[in-house]
Amino acid sequence: MAMHLRIFREQLLLGLKLHARKPPAVFWLVCFPVVMLLVLGAVFGRGAEPSQRLVWARDTAPSSLDNLFQRLLEERGLIVEVLVPADAESRWQSGKLAALLRGGSGHYTFRINKYLRGQGGQLEARVQEVFLATEARMSGVGELARIPVADASPGGRGGGSYVEYLLPGLLGLNLLMVGVFSCGMLDVTMRAKGGYKRLATTPLRRPVYLAAQIGVQLVLALISATLLGLAGKVIFGISNQGSYVSLFALLVLGATCFISLGYLLASFASSVEAYDGMANAVFLSLMLISGVYYTLDTAPLWLQRLADWLPLAPMLGALRAVFNDGAELGKQGPATAVLAAWTAVLFILAVRRFKWI
Amino acid sequence: MIEWAIDATGLTKRFGSTDAVRGLELQVPRGEIFGLLGPNGAGKTTTLEMLEGLVHPDHGDIRVLGLSWRVDANAIRTRIGVLLQYTQLDEKITVSEALHMFGSLYPRSWSADRLLQLVQLEEKADVYQGRLSGGQRQRLALALALVNDPELVFLDEPTTGLDPQARRGLWDLVCQLKSEGRTVLLTTHYMEEAETLCDRIGIMDRGQILQLGTPHELITGLQQPSYAEIEFDQDTPNAVAFATCMGLPVRPKARHWSVGLSDPKADLPRLLACIAKLDLPMQQLHVRRASLEDVFLQRTGRSLRE
C-alpha cells in the first residue's frame, strides 16, 4: 500500500511537471474558460442592452402627433435621428440599422433588419408601446401606467446578469473538456502509441497509474476553476453565493461523470485521429444543446427535454442554483439524480471497457 | 537438468482470420542469447508479446523463469526487462527522469547514474528525450528495460532503424548483458545481427519455428553449405544453359550468379568446365560460406527481405 501511494504521488508530480513544460498546451487547458468569460462578458456585458438609436425617415414637416411621438420616444431613452427618406434608405442599405421607422402623421411603417432581429425586435416593442401611449395621450387618456419589471435569478439572490449565467456554465463546460479532450485523448494516445503496453510489462498497478493521470487533469481543472472564480470576482464582481462544500461536491460528481465519458469514448477509438472526430462530435453537440453560453428557452421543447436528460444541462442548472443563489445541493434533487445516474453508468462502462493494450 | 529461462509449448495465437503463431515450441536455457530471425509478419513480435505476458495465447503453456503468467504475473514482471519495438515516452521527460520513473515502479532498481553509464548517456542525463537521436533513444529504451536488474531481457527488433555505428554499439551492450549472466531473447530480421549476437537462433516463418540451432549448426546443416558466385563485368547472361549443364539451380543477381554447392570438391571443377564450354564472360569466381539468409531461402524458397 505504501508503495502504491508513493508511486501515485511520484506519477502525479511528474505529470504536473511535464505539463508545466508545455506552456502553450497548458495555457489553453487552464485559461480557456477565463478567456471565454472575458470575451463573452465584454461582448454581452451585464445583460443585452437594447439599441439606443432609432432612425426615422420622414419627408414632411412634423405634425403635432409626430412631435409628441418623438418626445415620448426620447423620454423612453431612445435617441431619435430624423432623416429624409433617401438618406435613410442609404443608411439602411449599409446594413448597420437594426430597424427603420417611416412615415408621419399616424401613417407609420416599421422595418426590421432580418440579420439583427434581436435588436430590431426590442426596438419594435418599445416603438409600439410608445405609439400606443402617444395615441392615448392624443385622445386625452393621460399617462399610462407600466408594470414594474426586474431581472432576477431563480433563487432571487443573483442579479440575473449575463456573466452570472455564463460563469457556472463555463465551470461545467471545463469539466467536459477535461474529460473528453484531456483524459480521453491521453488514453487513446497511450494505447495507440504503445505507452500503456510498455507500462504493462512492469509491476505498476493500473488503478494507481490511472488515478495519478486523472489526478493531474483534476489539478489542472481546479486551477482553471480558481482562475475563473477570481476573474468573475475581480472583473465582474460576482462570487459563489452557495456553500463551497456543495459547489465542490457538484464539481467532483461532474468531473467523475465526464472523465468516465472520456475514457469510455476513447475505448471505442483505435487511433488518435478517430478519437479527435468522436470527441468533437460529442463535445460540440452536448455543449450546444445544454445552455452553456445562452439559454435554450427559444429552442424546441423536445430539444430542451432531451437536454434535461443528458448530463451537462442538469449539472449546469445545479451549478447555477448553488453558485448564484446559494441553493442547497439537496434541493437540486432531480438534476443531481440525473447527473449521478449518468456518472454511475458511464463509470461502470468505462471501467469494463478499459483496455491496457 | 537444465534450468529454462523460457519454456513454451504448443503456443498458438489467432487474430481474426490470421494465424499469427501456430503451435510454437521454444526452450531457452538461462544465460543464453536467443534470436528469433524471420521476415516481417512471421509472428516474432506476437511470440515475444505472449512470453512477456502482454498477449494471452489461445492455446499452449508458458513458463518464464519457472513461473506461470496465470499465477505469478507480478513476480515475473519484476524479474524481466522489455524493450518494445517502439518506446513511447513524453517528449519533455528528461533521460534521468525517465529512468527514475521506471525505476520507481519496481521494488528494487538500479540507480539512474549506473544505467546512464552503462548505456553511455551520462552527458544526456538532463536532456529531454524528444531531443535524442535515434540511437540514443534506443539506448535509453534499453536502459529502461534494465532498470530493475532483470534476469531475462526481451528485445524486440532492438536495432531496426539505427545506423551501422549505433547498431554495433547496441550489440556490445547486448553481449555485456550475457556476460553478466542474463538471458536475452531478441527478434531481428538482420541475419548479420543474429549471426553476431546469438548463441542460438530460431528461424521463424508464418507463425512457426522452422529450424533451431547455433548459427554454425544451421549453416553447416544445409544441403548446400557453400555458394559459388560467378561475377560478370556486364549484365548477367541468361542462366538456363548453364543451369542445365551444372544440373543445379542458379540464382541470377544484378552482377553475378549464385550457385549453391553441396560438395565443392566435385562441384567446382564441373562449374569451371561448364563456364569454359559455354564460353561465359566470367570475371571472378568467389566461393563463400552460406549465410543465415541462405538458410531461410533454402527452407522457405523466399528471401528474408521480401
Side-chain angles (χ1 to χ4, degrees), chain B residues 3-300:
Chain B
E3 206 184 337
W4 301 117
I6 289 169
D7 183 2
T9 48
L11 287 191
T12 61
K13 184 68 195 178
R14 206 180 157 87
F15 293 117
S17 59
T18 11
D19 288 308
V21 175
R22 303 183 295 166
L24 184 126
E25 309 280 328
L26 181 61
Q27 276 83 31
V28 179
R30 280 178 182 259
E32 183 173 272
I33 301 183
F34 186 91
L36 283 173
L37 176 70
N40 290 328
K44 305 187 299 287
T45 296
T46 305
T47 302
L48 225 58
E49 290 189 345
M50 286 193 281
L51 300 174
E52 291 159 354
L54 291 173
V55 170
H56 294 294
D58 295 335
H59 300 286
D61 196 46
I62 300 174
R63 299 223 139 229
V64 177
L65 303 167
L67 303 172
S68 146
W69 277 110
R70 270 192 296 276
V71 189
D72 300 308
N74 264 322
I76 300 177
R77 289 192 186 109
T78 56
R79 292 166 62 187
I80 63 169
V82 175
L83 173 71
L84 297 175
Q85 266 181 42
Y86 308 98
T87 302
Q88 157 85 7
L89 292 170
D90 196 293
E91 290 289 300
K92 296 266 175 147
I93 196 170
T94 69
V95 170
S96 65
E97 280 170 347
L99 291 168
H100 274 297
M101 196 274 267
F102 273 84
S104 75
L105 308 180
Y106 295 91
R108 194 169 55 90
S109 62
W110 274 358
S111 75
D113 288 343
R114 182 166 170 195
L115 288 161
L116 286 170
Q117 196 188 350
L118 178 73
V119 298
Q120 293 162 19
L121 282 176
E122 295 109 313
E123 287 154 32
K124 302 286 176 185
D126 297 320
V127 173
Y128 292 149
Q129 74 88 20
R131 302 227 176 112
L132 297 179
S133 72
Q136 291 166 342
R137 215 170 288 188
Q138 200 64 351
R139 292 215 300 276
L140 171 60
L142 183 63
L144 294 176
L146 301 176
V147 78
N148 55 328
D149 188 13
E151 296 161 53
L152 169 61
V153 185
F154 294 95
L155 308 174
D156 197 359
E157 311 227 340
T159 63
T160 298
L162 298 188
D163 59 57
Q165 198 191 343
R167 178 170 301 157
R168 274 168 208 288
L170 214 82
W171 289 355
D172 290 343
L173 278 171
V174 175
C175 290
Q176 194 179 333
L177 297 182
K178 178 183 161 69
S179 71
E180 292 165 351
R182 297 174 215 279
T183 313
V184 178
L185 179 57
L186 61 86
T187 71
T188 180
H189 53 251
Y190 299 115
M191 52 174 177
E192 192 194 352
E193 181 163 296
E195 213 168 331
T196 316
L197 278 181
C198 299
D199 299 316
R200 282 194 313 145
I201 290 166
I203 291 189
M204 230 186 137
D205 189 42
R206 295 181 179 168
Q208 282 174 316
I209 291 183
L210 299 177
Q211 207 161 17
L212 204 143
T214 66
H216 183 75
E217 283 167 0
L218 290 176
I219 290 163
T220 52
L222 283 177
Q223 283 205 307
Q224 296 158 340
S226 305
Y227 276 82
E229 287 182 352
I230 304 161
E231 209 174 295
F232 303 92
D233 65 350
Q234 53 206 329
D235 289 347
T236 51
N238 189 311
V240 176
F242 180 73
T244 316
C245 174
M246 283 296 290
L248 285 171
V250 175
R251 267 192 290 155
K253 303 281 178 71
R255 282 292 197 204
H256 68 266
W257 290 342
S258 179
V259 189
L261 308 175
S262 37
D263 179 8
K265 197 175 162 192
D267 290 337
L268 275 175
R270 222 150 44 82
L271 184 137
L272 290 170
C274 284
I275 287 169
K277 185 175 140 197
L278 296 169
D279 192 21
L280 294 169
M282 180 189 82
Q283 284 291 310
Q284 298 293 332
L285 174 66
H286 309 283
V287 178
R288 65 167 175 84
R289 189 174 78 122
S291 68
L292 288 172
E293 171 102 44
D294 301 310
V295 176
F296 188 80
L297 187 88
Q298 289 191 25
R299 288 294 309 214
T300 66

Side-chain angles (χ1 to χ4, degrees), chain A residues 170-347:
Chain A
L170 291 171
L171 218 48
L173 187 71
N174 188 35
L175 296 181
L176 181 63
M177 287 180 67
V178 165
V180 173
F181 289 123
S182 305
C183 290
M185 193 52 97
L186 190 71
D187 179 56
V188 80
T189 309
M190 284 293 283
R191 189 151 32 80
K193 301 204 165 162
Y196 280 157
K197 192 186 262 189
R198 180 64 184 84
L199 290 173
T201 67
T202 73
L204 173 64
R205 307 275 170 164
R206 298 170 199 203
V208 175
Y209 178 75
L210 291 176
Q213 299 306 305
I214 292 170
V216 170
Q217 301 305 326
L218 285 180
V219 170
L220 293 176
L222 199 64
I223 295 174
S224 175
T226 310
L227 287 179
L228 192 63
L230 277 177
K233 174 125 189 117
V234 172
I235 298 168
F236 299 100
I238 56 173
S239 57
N240 180 25
Q241 303 293 309
S243 87
Y244 277 91
V245 175
S246 295
L247 188 66
F248 193 71
L250 254 180
L251 292 178
V252 167
L253 189 60
T256 315
C257 181
F258 294 127
I259 288 170
S260 303
L261 176 65
Y263 276 95
L264 181 62
L265 274 182
S267 76
F268 288 98
S270 53
S271 70
V272 174
E273 290 76 17
Y275 184 71
D276 208 30
M278 286 166 55
N280 272 298
V282 169
F283 175 79
L284 287 175
S285 33
L286 256 184
M287 179 183 83
L288 291 176
I289 68 166
S290 299
V292 175
Y293 302 113
Y294 45 80
T295 57
L296 286 173
D297 50 7
T298 53
L301 209 56
W302 64 265
L303 195 65
Q304 297 187 38
R305 291 288 160 273
L306 175 69
D308 285 342
W309 287 102
L310 295 174
L312 187 57
M315 187 200 168
L316 298 186
L319 271 175
R320 287 189 176 115
V322 170
F323 193 90
N324 290 332
D325 289 324
E328 283 170 38
L329 201 50
K331 298 262 170 67
Q332 301 298 313
T336 335
V338 171
L339 181 61
W342 272 103
T343 307
V345 170
L346 292 172
F347 182 80

